[in-house]
Amino acid sequence: MVEKAVFLLREAHVARGRAVQALAEYFPGTAFDDRLRCVHEAWDRVHQGAPALHSVPSQLSEAGTFAAAHERHGLSD
């Protein structure tokens, strides 16, 4: 769950509050406190120079799928 929060903060550039909400969509049934803790840990990783997590290329790097993913996750400009 922390890795998903890191993705939301680093790659999708969502606010911390929105990341907590998004984690509920990705991990239904998780407690608010658990999601909040994960977002705080992810925030620390992203903003305190922790090494980046190993990741595979995202579908978001392809222009054709970016808009669909952007809409699917309820992100707006």
Side-chain angles (χ1 to χ4, degrees), residues 1-48:
M1 194 163 36
V2 174
E3 289 79 13
K4 181 58 78 174
V6 168
F7 166 78
L8 291 168
L9 295 172
R10 181 181 286 154
E11 304 300 327
H13 305 287
V14 300
R16 285 185 283 184
R18 179 64 185 113
V20 173
Q21 293 172 351
L23 287 179
E25 297 169 18
Y26 285 110
F27 305 98
T30 56
F32 176 80
D33 290 338
D34 291 336
R35 296 190 318 267
L36 186 62
R37 179 188 50 77
C38 288
V39 169
H40 282 292
E41 184 175 334
W43 180 266
D44 289 343
R45 286 187 189 182
V46 170
H47 290 90
Q48 292 183 355

Side-chain angles (χ1 to χ4, degrees), residues 59-68:
Q59 289 181 343
L60 297 180
S61 63
E62 298 176 25
T65 58
F66 179 79

